[in-house]
Amino acid sequence: MPAVEWKGAMKAEGEDVECLDNLSREVIDRMEQSLIEIAVESWRLSRLFSRVVCRLDAGESDRYVSQLRYFEKRVEEALSVSRIRLVNIEGESYRPGTPALALNLGEFGPDDELRIDVMLEPIVMGPSGLRKEGTVVLRKVSI
């Protein structure tokens, strides 16, 4: 039986149709979460692939660099349909409230000026704001 008829039958029996809306929201939330997980893993794979390509000869690496750029562009386009974007804040100052888990924060004092040395996972932003914190490694800024 098609969903429209089933929805109507539930309503005719006095059942609350809202349960179907909640089910739809749950399914959409799970799909979005899966998309975010795939996007983060793609981002990590792209960074690894980039490091490997840097070790190749210049002539040999050109083709792979182009393929990597195309792949990253396609992932970005696919995410933009869902209004999701990956944010890399590598090299920026780290302050309390930065939407990233700093794995080595305990190694520094409260007055140390910190920068994000390495992003291990990007920050994920969605239409309603932060969807997933990033993961970073910090370094102390030497003065």
Side-chain angles (χ1 to χ4, degrees):
M1 180 181 287
V4 174
E5 289 179 31
W6 185 68
K7 193 173 186 178
M10 282 189 64
K11 191 173 184 181
E13 294 174 10
E15 299 268 339
D16 189 4
V17 180
E18 189 175 317
C19 68
L20 290 176
D21 293 336
N22 289 337
L23 177 64
S24 297
R25 275 188 234 112
E26 286 177 29
V27 169
I28 289 169
D29 287 346
R30 277 189 270 145
M31 289 173 59
E32 183 182 74
Q33 189 58 40
S34 294
L35 178 62
I36 288 170
E37 290 172 11
I38 290 169
V40 168
E41 291 305 318
S42 296
W43 183 88
R44 293 172 73 190
L45 181 63
S46 290
R47 291 185 46 107
L48 173 65
F49 189 78
S50 180
R51 286 194 301 272
V52 170
V53 167
C54 287
R55 296 178 183 191
L56 299 175
D57 295 331
E60 191 177 13
S61 68
D62 289 345
R63 181 171 150 244
Y64 296 112
V65 168
S66 295
Q67 286 178 333
L68 178 60
R69 284 190 192 127
Y70 175 76
F71 173 75
E72 290 172 340
K73 180 182 174 200
R74 294 290 295 141
V75 168
E76 186 177 317
E77 289 170 352
L79 291 174
S80 71
V81 170
S82 297
R83 297 178 20 209
I84 294 173
R85 64 189 172 91
L86 305 179
V87 179
N88 183 347
I89 55 173
E90 205 167 79
E92 294 186 23
S93 294
Y94 180 83
R95 294 182 176 83
T98 299
L101 171 66
L103 297 179
N104 62 337
L105 185 59
E107 299 173 11
F108 305 101
D111 296 330
D112 290 339
E113 186 178 341
L114 304 174
R115 289 225 181 270
I116 296 169
D117 191 31
V118 179
M119 290 278 315
L120 300 175
E121 290 187 353
I123 297 166
V124 181
M125 300 299 293
S128 59
L130 181 67
R131 298 297 294 148
K132 184 179 184 307
E133 285 189 338
T135 305
V136 300
V137 175
L138 304 174
R139 68 176 162 83
K140 185 175 176 179
V141 175
S142 28
I143 300 173

